[in-house]
Amino acid sequence: MHLIRRREPHLAVRSSEGLTTVELYGELDLVLVQRVRPELDDLTREAAAFTVDLRSLAFCDASGLGLLVRCAQRVRGRGAAWRLVCDQPMILRLIRLAGLDDVLRPEPSAPEPGDGAPTGAARPPAPRVGRPGRLRV
């Protein structure tokens, strides 16, 4: 798998054998969403399996979640495998509070290519973060 650095410094793409992995850096807010959406739209049209890695993100807002949902729907809508990798507690909490666990299905780490890890709809829901019913700010 090789890393393809894009003109956008907040986005890196790895691609190999139909698997495309997009790594996002910085803060996924309205400004960054507007900058990376065209590239993500292009990438979601091509890959047989599409992974978005958020482990290097410092922040994500509602517009960022909207972009992730858009990517997930586009990828699954054409029958490709979707994976979201996130180990950031605040971002995982935002996904849970927005009720998007079942749509985005975040995982704490990305499996290595060819390890036989399940993809697509067969994966179990992501673990819950924090205590239900309590919002800590």
Side-chain angles (χ1 to χ4, degrees):
M1 189 174 283
H2 58 285
L3 177 68
I4 305 165
R5 261 309 206 191
R6 305 297 188 166
R7 281 175 264 154
E8 172 57 56
H10 300 283
L11 176 107
V13 178
R14 287 187 171 89
S15 186
S16 176
E17 301 175 11
L19 169 64
T20 297
T21 300
V22 173
E23 296 177 23
L24 294 171
Y25 305 94
E27 298 183 353
L28 190 56
D29 57 10
L30 183 59
V31 173
L32 186 57
V33 165
Q34 291 174 340
R35 290 170 56 178
V36 300
R37 180 184 291 133
E39 180 126 22
L40 289 176
D41 282 350
D42 288 343
L43 291 167
T44 56
R45 284 188 207 113
E46 302 168 3
F50 193 77
T51 299
V52 177
D53 188 339
L54 304 181
R55 291 177 292 181
S56 296
L57 274 186
F59 173 80
C60 181
D61 69 7
S63 62
L65 286 184
L67 178 64
L68 296 172
V69 168
R70 175 184 172 99
C71 288
Q73 290 174 337
R74 290 170 62 99
V75 168
R76 287 194 190 116
R78 59 180 189 74
W82 162 261
R83 177 171 281 136
L84 178 69
V85 179
C86 181
D87 62 0
Q88 304 292 333
M90 293 304 289
I91 297 172
L92 291 168
R93 183 174 292 120
L94 180 63
I95 291 169
R96 181 180 54 80
L97 291 173
L100 295 172
D101 284 346
D102 292 337
V103 175
L104 295 176
R105 298 185 187 135
E107 300 174 0
S109 64
E112 295 300 316
D115 72 352
T119 60
R123 285 181 285 145
R128 299 250 181 229
V129 176
R131 288 192 276 170
R134 288 195 73 176
L135 174 61
R136 288 177 283 178
V137 182

